[in-house]
Each structure stands twice: as structure tokens, then as C-alpha cells.
Amino acid sequence: MHLYELTEIYRNLMDLDLEEEELESHLKNVEDEIEVKADNIAKVLKEMEGDRDSLNTEIQRLMGKKQSLERRMDRLKDYLEESMRAVYKTKFKTALFSFNIQRNAPSLRILDESKIPEDFYRIEKKLNKKELKEALKKGLYGDAAELVQGESLRIR
């Protein structure tokens, strides 16, 4: 039986007009089955946590491998460019590829930031939630925000 079915049976039992002993007996049976389902779900969750941790480890390993590959690619490209410049050969074609050392789009290099007008700055408005929570605990700004206490399932 599924957990949702057990939950529905439990709710229906509460609505029935049964004697106290009979009701307790039925509820106890349903509660026991719900606990078994909960244990099984917890086992599945633990297995999924292990899979997630393994995947995170593999992601980190692959990211390291990717970064290493990108560094090797950059070194090879730099090596080729240096060699082309050394022999003053900035443009040529082969049967498979075309090679060309060309100008990039202009990039910005800041020499003295203090001399740049304020018009070129963007100011971001960001809410400091930590300080706002502290203010709310002190009874301030209750008309603007509220502290909400939620609940969540913890399995240990």
C-alpha cells in the first residue's frame, strides 16, 4: 500500500464513529505501516544522498580535468602564435585550416579609477536581510516585513 493511501485511511478512520478501543487498534496498525513506509523512504533518501555526493565528487574531478585541458589548449595556442610571430608569418592557409593573427576588439584598462566620473558607475540596491531580521526581532519595521517560522522534515 502507498503512503498516500495509508494517510487517507488514517483520516477516514478519524471520521468514523468507532468505539475507542477499536479506533485505537486500527489507528495503531495504520501508524505502524506508515512508520515502515517512512523507514523505507529514509533509506531511499540516504541512497540518493550517497549518489549525489558521488556525483559531486565526479563533477569536481571532471572540472579539474577540464581546467587542465583548457590550460594545455591555451599553452599550445600561445606556442603556435609565438612561433608564427618569430618567423613574421601572421597569415597563411593549409589544406585543413586558416591561420591569422589579427587585432581583437578594444578592451578597457583602468588607469586611475578616481578620475572616472560618477556617471559611469551603477549603484545596486541590495537588501541586507540579516540586519533586517535583527531589526524585526527588536520590533522595528513590522509593517514592512515579518519573520516567518517554517517547518521541514529532518531525518537522522
Side-chain angles (χ1 to χ4, degrees):
M1 197 174 302
H2 297 281
L3 184 59
Y4 69 88
E5 293 170 324
L6 291 170
T7 305
E8 187 65 29
I9 290 170
Y10 188 91
R11 287 183 183 147
N12 290 338
L13 282 171
M14 296 299 283
D15 292 338
L16 294 177
D17 188 26
L18 297 175
E19 290 185 27
E20 189 69 28
E21 285 183 20
E22 187 178 2
L23 178 62
E24 284 183 25
S25 173
H26 288 304
L27 290 177
K28 175 79 170 113
N29 289 337
V30 172
E31 286 174 356
D32 289 346
E33 288 187 50
I34 288 174
E35 289 176 7
V36 169
K37 292 290 182 186
D39 271 346
N40 290 335
I41 289 171
K43 289 174 187 174
V44 169
L45 287 169
K46 287 295 182 188
E47 185 176 328
M48 288 175 157
E49 285 175 8
D51 290 347
R52 179 198 59 204
D53 294 344
S54 296
L55 287 170
N56 282 335
T57 301
E58 184 65 7
I59 287 168
Q60 293 302 316
R61 186 186 73 79
L62 290 172
M63 289 295 291
K65 197 170 182 176
K66 176 186 171 201
Q67 290 169 349
S68 175
L69 180 64
E70 287 173 344
R71 285 191 300 269
R72 285 184 15 220
M73 289 169 58
D74 288 342
R75 283 194 304 268
L76 272 174
K77 192 173 176 183
D78 290 345
Y79 171 65
L80 177 58
E81 183 179 344
E82 287 173 16
S83 296
M84 288 173 62
R85 287 185 188 280
V87 297
Y88 304 103
K89 193 166 184 107
T90 59
K91 186 175 184 177
F92 62 92
K93 286 185 180 183
T94 65
L96 298 175
F97 301 101
S98 296
F99 300 86
N100 187 15
I101 297 175
Q102 62 187 30
R103 291 182 179 263
N104 295 332
S107 62
L108 183 63
R109 181 175 48 210
I110 306 298
L111 304 175
D112 186 354
E113 194 170 325
S114 66
K115 294 180 180 178
I116 297 174
E118 291 294 319
D119 296 345
F120 293 104
Y121 287 92
R122 268 189 277 183
I123 298 173
E124 290 187 34
K125 184 177 179 180
K126 187 173 180 182
L127 183 63
N128 186 335
K129 291 182 180 181
K130 184 177 179 181
E131 287 185 19
L132 181 56
K133 281 170 92 175
E134 292 302 317
L136 286 168
K137 287 178 185 176
K138 294 175 184 173
L140 303 172
Y141 309 111
D143 60 336
E146 65 181 348
L147 292 173
V148 180
Q149 184 72 53
E151 293 181 344
S152 65
L153 173 66
R154 289 206 172 79
I155 301 171
R156 296 180 186 187

